[in-house]
Amino acid sequence: MIDRFLRYSQERETKICVVLMQDGTMKKTNLRVTAIDPDGAGFSALLPGRKRAVHFDVADVLTAAYARGDRGELE
């Protein structure tokens, strides 16, 4: 399910809400996926207020959902 949200964000260039496990703590944030690794083990995303993409491991993502105001409807 997480892979579907990552692809959704990348294909539609829209933000998603994710809960990440970083340094032993959970962190909820909105991000926009810019690239997914060919092996599917990681992805790059833009975080709010940053101009450069940050790389994350898919294993660090606990859950993903639509960002506030997005219902996933096709246009």
Side-chain angles (χ1 to χ4, degrees):
M1 185 62 115
I2 293 170
D3 296 332
R4 290 179 63 189
F5 275 105
L6 296 177
R7 283 194 316 269
Y8 170 83
S9 176
Q10 183 183 23
E11 291 169 0
R12 291 188 172 73
E13 296 181 2
T14 188
K15 291 182 182 179
I16 57 172
C17 180
V18 297
V19 177
L20 299 165
M21 182 64 77
Q22 292 181 320
D23 301 322
T25 60
M26 290 190 298
K27 181 180 178 185
K28 181 180 176 183
T29 188
N30 289 335
L31 54 81
R32 184 173 60 86
V33 178
T34 57
I36 299 174
D37 295 349
D39 61 0
F43 64 96
S44 296
L46 289 172
L47 295 171
R50 295 215 180 164
K51 294 182 181 181
R52 288 185 151 191
V54 179
H55 190 268
F56 297 99
D57 291 330
V58 173
D60 292 341
V61 180
L62 301 177
T63 189
Y66 296 111
R68 187 174 183 176
D70 185 1
R71 291 185 231 142
E73 297 172 347
L74 297 176
E75 299 167 329

